[in-house]
Amino acid sequence: MDTSNIIENLLEGNISGARAEAESILLKKINESIEVVASFKKSEIFPKFFSWRRKIYKVDKVHFIHTSQNGKGLLYHFSVTDKVNYFQLIFNPLTLTWTLSTMYNNG
């Protein structure tokens, strides 16, 4: 997904142009279990590949990581790209499970 046009429009004060660009991006709520290959470095987790609906996605870049409270534990949220789409992956360290939460792609 190329968000550079959105950013350029915002910097130039072109709100309607930024809105038009943003509306061409599709958001899909998925919330399905996935299998993930990840690397662990010190106390950090880095997803490398994941499998969803019989397709394997290579994580090109991890853009953002944050946590949220889940009962007694934490959930780790990863915003990642595969050079085409943006995904939000969630890791639950108590159950050692991964979920594909959201997928964003160009319309």
Side-chain angles (χ1 to χ4, degrees):
M1 172 189 338
D2 183 11
T3 57
S4 60
N5 290 338
I6 297 171
I7 294 168
E8 286 176 26
N9 281 315
L10 288 172
L11 290 174
E12 294 171 2
N14 184 357
I15 302 302
S16 61
R19 182 176 293 123
E21 289 285 339
E23 287 174 354
S24 71
I25 299 172
L26 298 176
L27 164 68
K28 297 178 186 174
K29 293 285 186 184
I30 308 295
N31 290 322
E32 294 180 17
S33 294
I34 57 172
E35 294 181 358
V36 175
V37 173
S39 66
F40 293 80
K41 187 175 184 181
K42 297 186 181 180
S43 62
E44 297 180 316
I45 308 166
F46 298 97
K48 299 295 185 184
F49 297 89
F50 66 94
S51 173
W52 175 57
R53 295 186 178 173
R54 297 185 172 195
K55 183 175 178 185
I56 296 175
Y57 296 85
K58 181 183 186 295
V59 174
D60 178 59
K61 184 173 181 181
V62 176
H63 295 273
F64 185 69
I65 302 170
H66 74 276
T67 60
S68 66
Q69 194 66 39
N70 181 37
K72 294 181 180 178
L74 291 176
L75 295 177
Y76 292 82
H77 301 258
F78 299 85
S79 296
V80 303
T81 55
D82 71 347
K83 292 190 180 181
V84 177
N85 305 293
Y86 276 62
F87 303 93
Q88 185 177 60
L89 311 180
I90 301 173
F91 176 62
N92 184 332
L94 295 177
T95 60
L96 300 177
T97 57
W98 289 87
T99 301
L100 173 56
S101 170
T102 310
M103 177 180 176
Y104 306 84
N105 61 15
N106 287 330

